Amino acid sequence: IGASASQMIDASEKARHRMAQVVLMDSLEHLQRTGRIGRATQMLGSMIQLKPLIKINHEIGIIESAGYGRTRKKGVELLMKKFFDQLDVEKPLHIAVLHGNALPEAEALMERIREKYSPKELILNITGPVLGINTGPSALALSGYSEA
């Protein structure tokens, strides 16, 4: 409140450099459909029921692989680990839990985060259309940053 436009831009740039975002998908189908992986990779991953994780590199603006879970439960565990490994958990945290029509799972994830990390800010929302079309239904995402 009361900041100038240049101060707000500066603050948002600093937050962007600390931003982490990791997404767990239910299958490789949407990555193949959007051209991020080939059909053969998608078919093999589907046969062994891989649950892919991706992360958004906010420094250079690209999507990178963050690993795979063999079950949904293991995928959620890996989602938590990959996300919080990128943050300084000793500082105040600002976290969003996003979901693609997976509200009960997102609420449970929120509760785990609240109990373990006591973030300064914790919000729940559905994935937006851009993220949703690329990750598909049942996606879970963690997005946020730690204060400087």
Side-chain angles (χ1 to χ4, degrees), residues 31-85:
L31 291 175
Q32 188 273 324
R33 194 180 304 168
T34 58
R36 301 205 184 274
I37 62 170
R39 177 84 174 125
T41 301
Q42 184 266 325
M43 288 175 60
L44 179 61
S46 293
M47 286 176 20
I48 58 175
Q49 299 180 356
L50 288 180
K51 310 299 181 197
L53 284 98
I54 57 170
K55 64 181 179 176
I56 289 101
N57 182 327
H58 292 281
E59 290 292 320
I60 56 178
I62 63 168
I63 296 171
E64 301 171 334
S65 174
Y68 298 92
R70 285 293 308 270
T71 66
R72 182 74 172 183
K73 183 177 179 180
K74 288 180 182 174
V76 171
E77 294 305 314
L78 191 56
L79 171 68
M80 291 271 295
K81 179 181 178 359
K82 295 287 185 172
F83 177 73
F84 285 102
D85 281 354

Side-chain angles (χ1 to χ4, degrees), residues 99-112:
H99 69 94
N101 200 25
L103 182 59
E105 208 172 7
E107 288 173 332
L109 187 57
M110 255 185 95
E111 193 53 40
R112 284 182 61 193

Side-chain angles (χ1 to χ4, degrees), residues 9-20 57-60 86-87 144-146:
I9 290 169
D10 186 49
S12 67
E13 268 300 304
K14 288 177 182 172
R16 181 178 71 89
H17 290 290
R18 293 188 310 276
M19 182 68 66
N57 182 327
H58 292 281
E59 290 292 320
I60 56 178
Q86 296 179 67
L87 302 178
Y145 65 96
S146 50

Side-chain angles (χ1 to χ4, degrees), residues 111-123:
E111 193 53 40
R112 284 182 61 193
I113 292 167
R114 184 177 287 114
E115 289 174 8
K116 186 169 183 176
Y117 297 100
S118 300
K120 182 175 181 178
E121 178 181 31
L122 181 60
I123 62 173

